[in-house]
Amino acid sequence: MVGVEFICPLINDVKNPNKNIPRAMHLSLFIIFTIFVAFAYGASLLMDVESIMGSPLPFIDYANAVFGKSGLIIAAVMAVTATCSTMNTILSAVPKMLHGMAENKQAFPQLKITNKHNVPWVGTLMMAVGIMIPFFIFGIDALIPLIIAATTSWLLAYCVAHIDVIVLRKRLPNQERPYKTPFYPVPQILGIAGMLYVAANNSPAPEMTQLVYTIAGSILLVLSVIGALWVKLYMKRGLFEPDMS
């Protein structure tokens, strides 16, 4: 999960966001893709497929194969860095997204509240509590299926975003837009197909499949019901009516 959409909350903090936000997202994707290709190619030279597939933490084995005993330290630094990056994303970018949604009446109005540093602290606190609850309920052993279920939900959200682009292009072809995706509709079709394939094959073990989809389905069901009620009762709009404001 790359999550370049978390660049979007910077829209009010950068010069010329219409050009620089898409440019930053494209550059990030290119850099991540290059790193992934280099990682996979290097692993193919130093490790066999069986050891990669059978390892719970293949990046640690890869680091050991490249750097020897010191590889564990390098892998630990990588893991801590990735964890800090994820926490920054969840506790900084997501609350900003929720803050923007609240400003447009798309989320609870309490999420608009900020402190003197312009930090949406209500959203930050909500995300922190939301992260802790599953650990207290399910324990650390459920971490892997919880992460897979969450990423599955995220993949389906990306599919919806692609569908939104297709629908809006059809319904509002002349609407002014800050960014126009190139090669339309090829990226949308390939994106939807690729993400559905990943979502359908994301379970590392057959016995975990039912649990993953149960968790993901429950999350999506609850959020869908809340979203539908919010749009109809609070926003007083149709469920598939575009927001032109």
Side-chain angles (χ1 to χ4, degrees):
M1 301 299 292
V2 180
V4 294
E5 73 276 11
F6 292 113
I7 295 173
C8 291
L10 299 172
I11 192 169
N12 293 322
D13 302 317
V14 300
K15 296 179 180 179
N16 196 1
N18 285 5
K19 288 186 178 180
N20 288 329
I21 292 294
R23 187 178 297 165
M25 297 174 78
H26 290 160
L27 182 61
S28 298
L29 282 173
F30 176 75
I31 293 173
I32 293 295
F33 174 76
T34 303
I35 292 173
F36 281 179
V37 170
F39 186 95
Y41 178 70
S44 69
L45 297 177
L46 298 173
M47 302 173 64
D48 55 76
V49 176
E50 289 74 17
S51 60
I52 294 175
M53 296 296 294
S55 174
L57 297 170
F59 75 94
I60 292 181
D61 296 335
Y62 182 26
N64 286 333
V66 176
F67 300 104
K69 293 182 179 180
S70 60
L72 184 60
I73 299 175
I74 295 174
V77 172
M78 291 169 55
V80 171
T81 303
T83 301
C84 292
S85 174
T86 303
M87 294 305 297
N88 283 337
T89 297
I90 294 173
L91 297 180
S92 179
V94 174
K96 272 200 167 187
M97 289 181 174
L98 295 173
H99 175 267
M101 292 176 64
E103 292 282 354
N104 289 283
K105 299 182 179 181
Q106 297 169 349
F108 300 117
Q110 291 78 9
L111 296 171
K112 292 190 291 185
I113 301 174
T114 59
N115 61 16
K116 63 180 181 180
H117 302 291
N118 202 32
V119 175
W121 66 270
V122 174
T124 303
L125 183 62
M126 185 184 76
M127 293 303 303
V129 173
I131 293 169
M132 290 189 295
I133 289 176
F135 288 106
F136 286 120
I137 295 177
F138 300 106
I140 194 66
D141 294 335
L143 179 61
I144 292 179
L146 283 172
I147 291 176
I148 296 175
T151 54
T152 301
S153 303
W154 216 275
L155 286 171
L156 295 178
Y158 290 155
C159 290
V160 172
H162 279 317
I163 294 172
D164 289 343
V165 172
I166 296 173
V167 171
L168 290 174
R169 280 288 192 95
K170 292 290 186 181
R171 294 178 60 179
L172 302 169
N174 299 318
Q175 179 68 22
E176 183 180 357
R177 53 180 66 87
Y179 173 75
K180 189 174 182 179
T181 177
F183 309 114
Y184 171 86
V186 176
Q188 287 70 38
I189 295 173
L190 293 179
I192 292 171
M195 286 182 285
L196 289 178
Y197 176 81
V198 174
N201 297 275
N202 62 359
S203 180
E207 60 272 14
M208 194 183 295
T209 303
Q210 183 177 355
L211 177 60
V212 167
Y213 287 117
T214 299
I215 296 173
S218 301
I219 294 172
L220 292 174
L221 177 62
V222 171
L223 293 179
S224 297
V225 171
I226 294 174
L229 292 175
W230 185 267
V231 171
K232 295 294 291 185
L233 301 180
Y234 184 82
M235 299 180 68
K236 301 186 184 304
R237 304 176 65 92
L239 292 181
F240 301 102
E241 179 184 351
D243 188 354
M244 303 302 296
S245 60

